[in-house]
Amino acid sequence: MGGCFSKPKPVEVKVEVVLPEKEREKEEMSPNGKASPLAYKANGTTRLYHHEERPIVLNPYTNPKDVVEASVCHVKDLENGQMREVDLGCGKALLVKQNGEYYAMGHKCPHYGAPLVKGVLSKGRVRCPWHGACFNIATGDIEDFPGLDALPKFQVKIEKERVYIRASKQALQSQRRTKVMAKCIALSNYSAAITNILIIGAGPAGLVCAETLRQEGFSDRIVMCTSEKNLPYDRSKLSKSMDSQAEQIFLRSKEFFHTYDIEVLTESQVVGVDTKNKMVLFKDGFRMEYNKLLIATGNTPKTLKCKGKELDNVFTIRTPEDANKVVRLASSKNAVIVGASFLGMEVAAYLCEKAHSVSVVELENIPFKKFLGEKVGLAIMKMFENNRVKFYMQTEVSELREQEGKLKEVVLKSGKVLRADVCVIGIGASPTTGFLKQSGVALDSRGYILVNKMMQTNIPGVFAAGDVVTFPLAFRNNKKVNVPHWQMAHMQGRIAALNMLAQGTEINTVPYLWTAMFGKSIRYAGHGDGFDDVIIQGDIDELKFVAFYTRNDEVIAVASMNYDPIVSKVAEIMSSGKTIRKRDVETGDISWLTGKGS
């Protein structure tokens, strides 16, 4: 069992409310602008903390050395529905005008630093142009993902027809804000083998669930467990930035987990769940009781079934260590990628400048054909071929040959033999749910966990989220789907946490994903499964285009390259419940979609 447990003696629980960015005034206001008490749960008991009971926090602007105030524009310089990036001298802010009101906040998306001024403003929130994260313009809070942090919020005042922004210099520099969280100073009546919330899996779904619980005032014990040796990290970078060390892509620091009393058990594999007795069994024999459970174990990469699949230099990219080893082995050598999946193609693109040769083996005739369509797939294939990637399509691997215990050749069913010093398998994944066979948790025919819109399984108190679930997708008429996207895992983790606290919140988000290859990004929103036509606008040969995926008369997904912020715009329309018709995008005039205002 990884990690370390002590057996605390029964002690009094103390609840501390931590305000990382010292924004007590904002947090004490309800959405209607009136002061409201905050509810915190200590060992299952709810208590309301009113203003006079809250820990004393200094006004964020009491230190004059940390404050800057600047006139940024005339009141007539900004129209309703417009955004502007403004410079306060020691940092920039995003100024927004909507419904006659001015708002100011951080100008960069905390996820990867995208300029929000190039995003989409709609109905009180701004959506990132790169990856679709959404932020409330009144509070700065994150409302859709990816990313973990909110935006810092700044004061705005109007004086003599000038707009002034007053901000903390520290907030201007950081461009991010960790939301208010409760924490448990001392654990009460818990042995090492008992927890209130147990989270199996330490990906984005599990981490967001834990953080949301703390943000909502939950102050009891939270334990996350993972079979890996690392703290939660950005898995999406494993195939896009393969040189990254684990510590460089951690989603949160070790100190963060310590500060907010979120226990992480590493190298701790769960092998069974007893839902009747609310107990989890670990591989080493350790057992842990829980009150509520989140299953967020993700997917396990599929492997080849041919001879030689167990050779040391054959990889499925699952950990930072896997990615690092592949880069070292491929340097000035021959790399073979089996599978033109997103992971496989990202790895191929990354290795191009490092390897002597890069070959891709794929069963289909065109990469991404089923997901992005034939024309887009061919354009991407051409981009790879222009970067020295060799494709072997409509064939499979029959054997991996070794020499002195190491991979030397990849033999294809077509008869072709490829020189190979390292081989990466990217042929898809299957849900990590084998440990649930005797649990009573309902699975679908493919092994995914069935959940409702609140991320609840068929077992009371057991929730599931992330790549491991099949759930009703609201904007596709509640079609039950599996969406293995980074953004969706974040949102599902949040929804699960809210419903663990009995808030009755249903998921209603639009899938959003991205991939990066050769310095170019493809953005995608919606769920295009079953599309029957693709409407392309722009120049696909120049890789500056937008593709609309339709089924019957409805646009169900969109993809683009070098056409921001159109994917975020479509995602925002879809999330509002509106339908984009096929005829709306067939005309060639999509200027109504490319505007930033709303």
Side-chain angles (χ1 to χ4, degrees), residues 14-23 26-27 38-41 54-55 57 141-142 147-150 177-185 207-220 222 251-252 255-262 494:
K14 298 179 181 179
V15 177
E16 177 183 41
V17 179
V18 181
L19 304 178
E21 292 296 327
K22 302 178 181 179
E23 295 204 25
K26 176 180 70 62
E27 294 294 342
L38 297 180
Y40 294 88
K41 291 186 178 181
R54 298 283 295 279
V57 181
D141 289 348
I142 187 168
L148 299 171
D149 291 320
R177 173 177 59 86
T178 301
K179 287 189 68 175
V180 176
M181 292 194 194
K183 60 178 277 189
C184 195
I185 295 176
L207 179 56
V208 171
C209 178
E211 290 197 21
T212 301
L213 288 167
R214 289 289 185 241
Q215 290 165 4
E216 294 296 311
F218 183 82
S219 59
D220 234 319
I222 300 174
L251 294 171
R252 293 296 196 192
E255 291 72 25
F256 176 92
F257 293 102
H258 177 75
T259 298
Y260 299 110
D261 294 321
I262 299 171
R494 176 168 175 77

Short mmCIF file of all heavy atoms in Angstrom, two decimals, residues 14-23 26-27 38-41 54-55 57 141-142 147-150 177-185 207-220 222 251-252 255-262 494:
data_model
loop_
_atom_site.label_atom_id
_atom_site.label_comp_id
_atom_site.label_asym_id
_atom_site.label_seq_id
_atom_site.Cartn_x
_atom_site.Cartn_y
_atom_site.Cartn_z
N LYS A 14 -12.18 20.89 14.04
CA LYS A 14 -12.24 22.34 13.83
C LYS A 14 -12.28 22.60 12.35
O LYS A 14 -11.55 21.99 11.58
CB LYS A 14 -11.01 23.01 14.45
CG LYS A 14 -10.89 22.81 15.96
CD LYS A 14 -9.64 23.47 16.48
CE LYS A 14 -9.48 23.26 17.98
NZ LYS A 14 -8.25 23.88 18.50
N VAL A 15 -13.13 23.50 11.97
CA VAL A 15 -13.27 23.82 10.55
C VAL A 15 -12.68 25.19 10.28
O VAL A 15 -13.01 26.16 10.95
CB VAL A 15 -14.75 23.81 10.12
CG1 VAL A 15 -14.89 24.22 8.67
CG2 VAL A 15 -15.33 22.42 10.33
N GLU A 16 -11.78 25.24 9.30
CA GLU A 16 -11.18 26.51 8.93
C GLU A 16 -11.58 26.83 7.50
O GLU A 16 -11.53 25.97 6.63
CB GLU A 16 -9.65 26.42 9.01
CG GLU A 16 -8.96 27.68 8.57
CD GLU A 16 -7.44 27.52 8.60
OE1 GLU A 16 -6.96 26.46 8.19
OE2 GLU A 16 -6.77 28.44 9.03
N VAL A 17 -11.98 28.04 7.26
CA VAL A 17 -12.31 28.49 5.91
C VAL A 17 -11.11 29.25 5.37
O VAL A 17 -10.68 30.24 5.95
CB VAL A 17 -13.56 29.40 5.91
CG1 VAL A 17 -13.86 29.86 4.50
CG2 VAL A 17 -14.74 28.65 6.48
N VAL A 18 -10.55 28.77 4.26
CA VAL A 18 -9.34 29.35 3.71
C VAL A 18 -9.70 30.21 2.51
O VAL A 18 -10.38 29.76 1.59
CB VAL A 18 -8.37 28.22 3.28
CG1 VAL A 18 -7.09 28.82 2.74
CG2 VAL A 18 -8.07 27.33 4.48
N LEU A 19 -9.24 31.44 2.51
CA LEU A 19 -9.52 32.36 1.42
C LEU A 19 -8.21 32.67 0.71
O LEU A 19 -7.52 33.62 1.06
CB LEU A 19 -10.15 33.66 1.94
CG LEU A 19 -11.43 33.49 2.76
CD1 LEU A 19 -11.92 34.84 3.26
CD2 LEU A 19 -12.50 32.82 1.95
N PRO A 20 -7.82 31.87 -0.29
CA PRO A 20 -6.51 32.03 -0.90
C PRO A 20 -6.26 33.40 -1.50
O PRO A 20 -5.17 33.91 -1.46
CB PRO A 20 -6.50 30.95 -1.99
CG PRO A 20 -7.53 29.97 -1.55
CD PRO A 20 -8.56 30.77 -0.84
N GLU A 21 -7.25 34.01 -2.11
CA GLU A 21 -7.06 35.31 -2.75
C GLU A 21 -7.70 36.45 -1.96
O GLU A 21 -7.87 37.55 -2.47
CB GLU A 21 -7.64 35.28 -4.18
CG GLU A 21 -6.87 34.37 -5.12
CD GLU A 21 -5.45 34.85 -5.34
OE1 GLU A 21 -5.21 36.07 -5.34
OE2 GLU A 21 -4.57 33.99 -5.50
N LYS A 22 -8.07 36.19 -0.73
CA LYS A 22 -8.57 37.22 0.17
C LYS A 22 -9.75 37.99 -0.42
O LYS A 22 -9.81 39.21 -0.37
CB LYS A 22 -7.44 38.21 0.52
CG LYS A 22 -6.23 37.53 1.16
CD LYS A 22 -5.14 38.54 1.45
CE LYS A 22 -3.93 37.89 2.06
NZ LYS A 22 -2.85 38.87 2.31
N GLU A 23 -10.72 37.24 -0.95
CA GLU A 23 -11.87 37.90 -1.56
C GLU A 23 -13.12 37.62 -0.75
O GLU A 23 -14.11 37.12 -1.25
CB GLU A 23 -12.04 37.46 -3.01
CG GLU A 23 -10.88 37.91 -3.88
CD GLU A 23 -11.28 38.02 -5.32
OE1 GLU A 23 -12.47 38.21 -5.59
OE2 GLU A 23 -10.39 37.93 -6.16
N LYS A 26 -16.68 39.15 -1.95
CA LYS A 26 -17.37 38.50 -3.05
C LYS A 26 -17.99 37.19 -2.63
O LYS A 26 -19.11 36.87 -2.99
CB LYS A 26 -16.40 38.25 -4.21
CG LYS A 26 -17.02 37.49 -5.36
CD LYS A 26 -16.03 37.27 -6.46
CE LYS A 26 -14.99 36.28 -6.00
NZ LYS A 26 -15.59 34.97 -5.69
N GLU A 27 -17.25 36.43 -1.84
CA GLU A 27 -17.73 35.12 -1.45
C GLU A 27 -18.93 35.20 -0.52
O GLU A 27 -19.68 34.26 -0.37
CB GLU A 27 -16.61 34.31 -0.79
CG GLU A 27 -15.46 33.98 -1.73
CD GLU A 27 -15.87 33.03 -2.83
OE1 GLU A 27 -16.91 32.37 -2.67
OE2 GLU A 27 -15.16 32.96 -3.84
N LEU A 38 -22.84 30.82 4.65
CA LEU A 38 -22.28 29.68 3.96
C LEU A 38 -22.42 28.45 4.83
O LEU A 38 -22.19 28.49 6.03
CB LEU A 38 -20.80 29.91 3.61
CG LEU A 38 -20.53 31.07 2.66
CD1 LEU A 38 -19.04 31.19 2.41
CD2 LEU A 38 -21.26 30.87 1.35
N ALA A 39 -22.80 27.33 4.23
CA ALA A 39 -23.00 26.10 4.99
C ALA A 39 -21.77 25.22 4.91
O ALA A 39 -21.24 24.99 3.84
CB ALA A 39 -24.21 25.35 4.44
N TYR A 40 -21.30 24.75 6.04
CA TYR A 40 -20.16 23.84 6.09
C TYR A 40 -20.55 22.61 6.89
O TYR A 40 -21.26 22.71 7.88
CB TYR A 40 -18.93 24.52 6.73
CG TYR A 40 -18.43 25.63 5.87
CD1 TYR A 40 -18.93 26.92 6.00
CD2 TYR A 40 -17.49 25.38 4.87
CE1 TYR A 40 -18.49 27.93 5.18
CE2 TYR A 40 -17.05 26.39 4.04
CZ TYR A 40 -17.55 27.66 4.20
OH TYR A 40 -17.12 28.66 3.38
N LYS A 41 -20.10 21.45 6.44
CA LYS A 41 -20.46 20.21 7.11
C LYS A 41 -19.25 19.68 7.87
O LYS A 41 -18.19 19.47 7.30
CB LYS A 41 -20.93 19.17 6.10
CG LYS A 41 -22.27 19.51 5.47
CD LYS A 41 -22.76 18.39 4.58
CE LYS A 41 -24.14 18.73 4.00
NZ LYS A 41 -24.64 17.65 3.15
N ARG A 54 -17.16 34.35 10.61
CA ARG A 54 -16.10 33.94 9.70
C ARG A 54 -14.75 34.39 10.22
O ARG A 54 -14.63 35.43 10.87
CB ARG A 54 -16.35 34.55 8.31
CG ARG A 54 -17.62 34.10 7.64
CD ARG A 54 -17.50 32.72 7.07
NE ARG A 54 -16.51 32.71 6.00
CZ ARG A 54 -16.78 33.10 4.76
NH1 ARG A 54 -17.98 33.51 4.44
NH2 ARG A 54 -15.85 33.06 3.85
N PRO A 55 -13.68 33.64 9.94
CA PRO A 55 -12.35 34.08 10.35
C PRO A 55 -12.05 35.45 9.77
O PRO A 55 -12.42 35.77 8.64
CB PRO A 55 -11.43 33.01 9.73
CG PRO A 55 -12.32 31.82 9.55
CD PRO A 55 -13.68 32.36 9.26
N VAL A 57 -10.44 38.23 7.83
CA VAL A 57 -9.58 38.30 6.67
C VAL A 57 -9.41 39.76 6.29
O VAL A 57 -10.39 40.50 6.20
CB VAL A 57 -10.18 37.53 5.46
CG1 VAL A 57 -9.25 37.61 4.27
CG2 VAL A 57 -10.42 36.08 5.86
N ASP A 141 -15.50 33.01 -11.36
CA ASP A 141 -15.53 31.57 -11.09
C ASP A 141 -15.56 30.76 -12.39
O ASP A 141 -16.17 31.17 -13.38
CB ASP A 141 -16.75 31.20 -10.25
CG ASP A 141 -16.63 31.69 -8.81
OD1 ASP A 141 -15.52 32.10 -8.41
OD2 ASP A 141 -17.65 31.66 -8.10
N ILE A 142 -14.91 29.60 -12.36
CA ILE A 142 -14.93 28.70 -13.51
C ILE A 142 -16.26 27.95 -13.53
O ILE A 142 -16.70 27.42 -12.51
CB ILE A 142 -13.72 27.74 -13.48
CG1 ILE A 142 -13.65 26.93 -14.78
CG2 ILE A 142 -13.72 26.86 -12.25
CD1 ILE A 142 -12.34 26.17 -14.96
N GLY A 147 -9.31 22.94 -16.64
CA GLY A 147 -8.61 23.82 -15.71
C GLY A 147 -9.22 23.70 -14.32
O GLY A 147 -10.33 23.22 -14.15
N LEU A 148 -8.46 24.16 -13.33
CA LEU A 148 -8.89 24.04 -11.95
C LEU A 148 -9.16 25.38 -11.28
O LEU A 148 -9.92 25.44 -10.32
CB LEU A 148 -7.83 23.27 -11.14
CG LEU A 148 -7.54 21.84 -11.60
CD1 LEU A 148 -6.32 21.29 -10.88
CD2 LEU A 148 -8.75 20.95 -11.37
N ASP A 149 -8.52 26.43 -11.75
CA ASP A 149 -8.59 27.71 -11.05
C ASP A 149 -9.56 28.68 -11.70
O ASP A 149 -9.83 28.62 -12.90
CB ASP A 149 -7.20 28.35 -10.97
CG ASP A 149 -6.27 27.58 -10.04
OD1 ASP A 149 -6.75 27.13 -8.98
OD2 ASP A 149 -5.09 27.42 -10.38
N ALA A 150 -10.04 29.61 -10.88
CA ALA A 150 -10.90 30.69 -11.35
C ALA A 150 -10.03 31.88 -11.76
O ALA A 150 -8.80 31.86 -11.64
CB ALA A 150 -11.86 31.10 -10.23
N ARG A 177 -6.97 32.31 -9.57
CA ARG A 177 -7.46 32.39 -8.19
C ARG A 177 -8.02 31.02 -7.79
O ARG A 177 -8.85 30.45 -8.47
CB ARG A 177 -8.58 33.44 -8.08
CG ARG A 177 -9.29 33.49 -6.73
CD ARG A 177 -10.31 34.62 -6.71
NE ARG A 177 -11.33 34.49 -7.74
CZ ARG A 177 -12.44 33.77 -7.61
NH1 ARG A 177 -12.67 33.10 -6.49
NH2 ARG A 177 -13.33 33.71 -8.59
N THR A 178 -7.52 30.50 -6.67
CA THR A 178 -8.06 29.27 -6.12
C THR A 178 -9.28 29.62 -5.28
O THR A 178 -9.21 30.50 -4.42
CB THR A 178 -7.02 28.54 -5.25
OG1 THR A 178 -5.88 28.27 -6.06
CG2 THR A 178 -7.59 27.24 -4.72
N LYS A 179 -10.38 28.95 -5.55
CA LYS A 179 -11.62 29.29 -4.85
C LYS A 179 -11.52 29.00 -3.35
O LYS A 179 -10.70 28.20 -2.89
CB LYS A 179 -12.79 28.50 -5.44
CG LYS A 179 -13.24 29.00 -6.82
CD LYS A 179 -14.51 28.34 -7.24
CE LYS A 179 -15.69 28.76 -6.39
NZ LYS A 179 -16.97 28.19 -6.88
N VAL A 180 -12.41 29.64 -2.61
CA VAL A 180 -12.49 29.43 -1.17
C VAL A 180 -12.73 27.96 -0.87
O VAL A 180 -13.54 27.31 -1.51
CB VAL A 180 -13.67 30.25 -0.59
CG1 VAL A 180 -13.82 29.96 0.90
CG2 VAL A 180 -13.42 31.74 -0.81
N MET A 181 -11.99 27.42 0.09
CA MET A 181 -12.17 26.02 0.47
C MET A 181 -12.23 25.89 1.99
O MET A 181 -11.55 26.62 2.72
CB MET A 181 -11.01 25.16 -0.04
CG MET A 181 -10.95 25.02 -1.54
SD MET A 181 -9.82 23.69 -2.04
CE MET A 181 -9.65 24.05 -3.78
N ALA A 182 -13.03 24.94 2.42
CA ALA A 182 -13.02 24.55 3.83
C ALA A 182 -11.94 23.49 4.00
O ALA A 182 -11.58 22.81 3.06
CB ALA A 182 -14.37 23.99 4.25
N LYS A 183 -11.41 23.38 5.20
CA LYS A 183 -10.47 22.31 5.48
C LYS A 183 -10.68 21.81 6.89
O LYS A 183 -11.24 22.51 7.74
CB LYS A 183 -9.03 22.76 5.29
CG LYS A 183 -8.61 23.92 6.19
CD LYS A 183 -7.17 24.29 5.98
CE LYS A 183 -6.25 23.40 6.79
NZ LYS A 183 -4.85 23.90 6.76
N CYS A 184 -10.27 20.60 7.11
CA CYS A 184 -10.42 19.98 8.42
C CYS A 184 -9.07 20.05 9.14
O CYS A 184 -8.10 19.45 8.69
CB CYS A 184 -10.89 18.55 8.24
SG CYS A 184 -11.52 17.80 9.73
N ILE A 185 -9.00 20.79 10.22
CA ILE A 185 -7.73 20.92 10.94
C ILE A 185 -7.38 19.63 11.66
O ILE A 185 -6.23 19.24 11.74
CB ILE A 185 -7.80 22.10 11.94
CG1 ILE A 185 -7.96 23.41 11.18
CG2 ILE A 185 -6.56 22.15 12.81
CD1 ILE A 185 -8.14 24.60 12.07
N LEU A 207 -9.89 14.48 -9.00
CA LEU A 207 -9.36 15.69 -8.37
C LEU A 207 -10.40 16.79 -8.29
O LEU A 207 -10.56 17.44 -7.25
CB LEU A 207 -8.14 16.19 -9.16
CG LEU A 207 -7.49 17.47 -8.63
CD1 LEU A 207 -7.08 17.32 -7.17
CD2 LEU A 207 -6.30 17.86 -9.49
N VAL A 208 -11.15 17.02 -9.37
CA VAL A 208 -12.17 18.06 -9.35
C VAL A 208 -13.26 17.72 -8.34
O VAL A 208 -13.80 18.60 -7.66
CB VAL A 208 -12.77 18.30 -10.75
CG1 VAL A 208 -13.98 19.23 -10.69
CG2 VAL A 208 -11.72 18.90 -11.68
N CYS A 209 -13.59 16.44 -8.22
CA CYS A 209 -14.56 16.03 -7.21
C CYS A 209 -14.09 16.42 -5.82
O CYS A 209 -14.82 17.02 -5.05
CB CYS A 209 -14.80 14.53 -7.30
SG CYS A 209 -15.96 13.89 -6.07
N ALA A 210 -12.85 16.09 -5.50
CA ALA A 210 -12.30 16.41 -4.17
C ALA A 210 -12.27 17.91 -3.92
O ALA A 210 -12.66 18.39 -2.84
CB ALA A 210 -10.90 15.82 -4.04
N GLU A 211 -11.83 18.67 -4.92
CA GLU A 211 -11.75 20.12 -4.75
C GLU A 211 -13.14 20.74 -4.61
O GLU A 211 -13.35 21.66 -3.82
CB GLU A 211 -10.99 20.76 -5.92
CG GLU A 211 -9.52 20.43 -5.92
CD GLU A 211 -8.70 21.37 -6.79
OE1 GLU A 211 -9.18 22.49 -7.07
OE2 GLU A 211 -7.59 21.00 -7.19
N THR A 212 -14.09 20.25 -5.39
CA THR A 212 -15.45 20.79 -5.31
C THR A 212 -16.05 20.53 -3.94
O THR A 212 -16.73 21.40 -3.37
CB THR A 212 -16.34 20.17 -6.40
OG1 THR A 212 -15.78 20.46 -7.69
CG2 THR A 212 -17.76 20.72 -6.34
N LEU A 213 -15.82 19.36 -3.39
CA LEU A 213 -16.31 19.06 -2.04
C LEU A 213 -15.77 20.08 -1.04
O LEU A 213 -16.52 20.61 -0.22
CB LEU A 213 -15.89 17.65 -1.63
CG LEU A 213 -16.62 16.50 -2.33
CD1 LEU A 213 -15.91 15.18 -2.08
CD2 LEU A 213 -18.08 16.41 -1.87
N ARG A 214 -14.50 20.37 -1.12
CA ARG A 214 -13.91 21.35 -0.20
C ARG A 214 -14.47 22.76 -0.49
O ARG A 214 -14.75 23.53 0.43
CB ARG A 214 -12.39 21.35 -0.33
CG ARG A 214 -11.71 20.10 0.25
CD ARG A 214 -11.78 20.10 1.76
NE ARG A 214 -11.04 18.98 2.35
CZ ARG A 214 -11.59 18.03 3.09
NH1 ARG A 214 -12.90 18.02 3.32
NH2 ARG A 214 -10.84 17.06 3.60
N GLN A 215 -14.64 23.10 -1.75
CA GLN A 215 -15.18 24.42 -2.09
C GLN A 215 -16.60 24.60 -1.58
O GLN A 215 -17.02 25.71 -1.25
CB GLN A 215 -15.14 24.62 -3.62
CG GLN A 215 -13.75 24.77 -4.19
CD GLN A 215 -13.72 24.61 -5.70
OE1 GLN A 215 -14.76 24.45 -6.35
NE2 GLN A 215 -12.53 24.62 -6.28
N GLU A 216 -17.34 23.49 -1.54
CA GLU A 216 -18.72 23.54 -1.06
C GLU A 216 -18.82 23.44 0.45
O GLU A 216 -19.91 23.38 1.01
CB GLU A 216 -19.53 22.42 -1.71
CG GLU A 216 -19.71 22.57 -3.22
CD GLU A 216 -20.52 23.80 -3.58
OE1 GLU A 216 -21.60 24.00 -2.98
OE2 GLU A 216 -20.05 24.58 -4.43
N GLY A 217 -17.69 23.42 1.14
CA GLY A 217 -17.68 23.44 2.60
C GLY A 217 -17.62 22.08 3.26
O GLY A 217 -17.76 21.98 4.48
N PHE A 218 -17.41 21.01 2.49
CA PHE A 218 -17.32 19.68 3.09
C PHE A 218 -16.01 19.57 3.87
O PHE A 218 -14.93 19.76 3.32
CB PHE A 218 -17.37 18.62 1.99
CG PHE A 218 -17.35 17.21 2.50
CD1 PHE A 218 -18.52 16.61 2.96
CD2 PHE A 218 -16.17 16.49 2.54
CE1 PHE A 218 -18.50 15.31 3.43
CE2 PHE A 218 -16.14 15.19 3.01
CZ PHE A 218 -17.32 14.60 3.46
N SER A 219 -16.11 19.23 5.15
CA SER A 219 -14.93 19.26 6.01
C SER A 219 -14.60 17.92 6.64
O SER A 219 -13.85 17.86 7.61
CB SER A 219 -15.11 20.32 7.10
OG SER A 219 -16.26 20.02 7.87
N ASP A 220 -15.19 16.85 6.11
CA ASP A 220 -14.87 15.52 6.62
C ASP A 220 -13.70 14.94 5.81
O ASP A 220 -13.14 15.59 4.92
CB ASP A 220 -16.10 14.62 6.52
CG ASP A 220 -16.43 13.98 7.86
OD1 ASP A 220 -15.48 13.57 8.55
OD2 ASP A 220 -17.62 13.90 8.21
N ILE A 222 -11.47 13.05 3.16
CA ILE A 222 -11.49 12.70 1.74
C ILE A 222 -10.20 11.95 1.42
O ILE A 222 -9.11 12.43 1.71
CB ILE A 222 -11.58 13.95 0.83
CG1 ILE A 222 -12.85 14.76 1.12
CG2 ILE A 222 -11.52 13.55 -0.64
CD1 ILE A 222 -12.92 16.07 0.36
N LEU A 251 -1.00 18.48 -11.52
CA LEU A 251 -2.13 19.40 -11.52
C LEU A 251 -2.16 20.25 -10.24
O LEU A 251 -2.59 21.40 -10.26
CB LEU A 251 -3.44 18.62 -11.67
CG LEU A 251 -3.62 17.91 -13.01
CD1 LEU A 251 -4.84 17.00 -12.98
CD2 LEU A 251 -3.75 18.92 -14.15
N ARG A 252 -1.72 19.67 -9.15
CA ARG A 252 -1.60 20.38 -7.88
C ARG A 252 -0.33 19.91 -7.17
O ARG A 252 0.12 18.78 -7.36
CB ARG A 252 -2.81 20.11 -6.97
CG ARG A 252 -4.13 20.66 -7.45
CD ARG A 252 -4.15 22.16 -7.53
NE ARG A 252 -5.49 22.70 -7.64
CZ ARG A 252 -5.76 23.97 -7.95
NH1 ARG A 252 -4.76 24.83 -8.19
NH2 ARG A 252 -7.01 24.40 -8.02
N GLU A 255 1.95 20.28 -1.49
CA GLU A 255 1.54 21.21 -0.43
C GLU A 255 0.05 21.51 -0.52
O GLU A 255 -0.61 21.70 0.50
CB GLU A 255 2.36 22.50 -0.52
CG GLU A 255 3.83 22.35 -0.17
CD GLU A 255 4.63 21.61 -1.23
OE1 GLU A 255 4.21 21.62 -2.42
OE2 GLU A 255 5.67 21.01 -0.87
N PHE A 256 -0.48 21.57 -1.73
CA PHE A 256 -1.90 21.84 -1.91
C PHE A 256 -2.74 20.75 -1.24
O PHE A 256 -3.68 21.05 -0.50
CB PHE A 256 -2.25 21.91 -3.40
CG PHE A 256 -3.72 22.11 -3.68
CD1 PHE A 256 -4.24 23.38 -3.82
CD2 PHE A 256 -4.58 21.02 -3.81
CE1 PHE A 256 -5.60 23.56 -4.07
CE2 PHE A 256 -5.93 21.20 -4.05
CZ PHE A 256 -6.43 22.47 -4.19
N PHE A 257 -2.41 19.51 -1.49
CA PHE A 257 -3.17 18.40 -0.90
C PHE A 257 -3.05 18.41 0.62
O PHE A 257 -4.02 18.11 1.33
CB PHE A 257 -2.68 17.07 -1.47
CG PHE A 257 -2.99 16.89 -2.92
CD1 PHE A 257 -2.02 17.07 -3.89
CD2 PHE A 257 -4.28 16.57 -3.34
CE1 PHE A 257 -2.31 16.92 -5.24
CE2 PHE A 257 -4.58 16.42 -4.68
CZ PHE A 257 -3.58 16.60 -5.63
N HIS A 258 -1.87 18.78 1.12
CA HIS A 258 -1.68 18.85 2.57
C HIS A 258 -2.52 19.98 3.17
O HIS A 258 -3.18 19.82 4.20
CB HIS A 258 -0.20 19.06 2.89
CG HIS A 258 0.08 19.22 4.35
ND1 HIS A 258 0.06 18.16 5.24
CD2 HIS A 258 0.37 20.33 5.08
CE1 HIS A 258 0.33 18.61 6.45
NE2 HIS A 258 0.53 19.92 6.39
N THR A 259 -2.51 21.13 2.50
CA THR A 259 -3.23 22.31 3.00
C THR A 259 -4.72 22.04 3.13
O THR A 259 -5.35 22.42 4.13
CB THR A 259 -3.00 23.52 2.07
OG1 THR A 259 -1.61 23.84 2.07
CG2 THR A 259 -3.80 24.74 2.55
N TYR A 260 -5.29 21.36 2.15
CA TYR A 260 -6.74 21.16 2.14
C TYR A 260 -7.16 19.76 2.57
O TYR A 260 -8.31 19.36 2.37
CB TYR A 260 -7.30 21.50 0.75
CG TYR A 260 -7.05 22.94 0.39
CD1 TYR A 260 -6.14 23.29 -0.60
CD2 TYR A 260 -7.68 23.96 1.09
CE1 TYR A 260 -5.89 24.62 -0.90
CE2 TYR A 260 -7.43 25.30 0.79
CZ TYR A 260 -6.53 25.61 -0.20
OH TYR A 260 -6.28 26.94 -0.49
N ASP A 261 -6.24 19.05 3.20
CA ASP A 261 -6.55 17.74 3.79
C ASP A 261 -7.22 16.79 2.80
O ASP A 261 -8.23 16.15 3.08
CB ASP A 261 -7.44 17.90 5.02
CG ASP A 261 -6.72 18.61 6.15
OD1 ASP A 261 -5.53 18.34 6.35
OD2 ASP A 261 -7.35 19.45 6.82
N ILE A 262 -6.65 16.72 1.60
CA ILE A 262 -7.06 15.72 0.62
C ILE A 262 -5.96 14.68 0.57
O ILE A 262 -4.86 14.94 0.08
CB ILE A 262 -7.28 16.36 -0.78
CG1 ILE A 262 -8.38 17.43 -0.72
CG2 ILE A 262 -7.64 15.29 -1.81
CD1 ILE A 262 -8.50 18.26 -1.99
N ARG A 494 -17.08 17.34 -10.97
CA ARG A 494 -17.77 18.39 -10.23
C ARG A 494 -19.24 18.03 -9.96
O ARG A 494 -19.73 18.19 -8.84
CB ARG A 494 -17.71 19.72 -11.00
CG ARG A 494 -18.49 20.84 -10.33
CD ARG A 494 -18.21 22.20 -10.93
NE ARG A 494 -19.06 23.22 -10.34
CZ ARG A 494 -18.88 23.75 -9.14
NH1 ARG A 494 -17.88 23.36 -8.37
NH2 ARG A 494 -19.70 24.67 -8.67
#
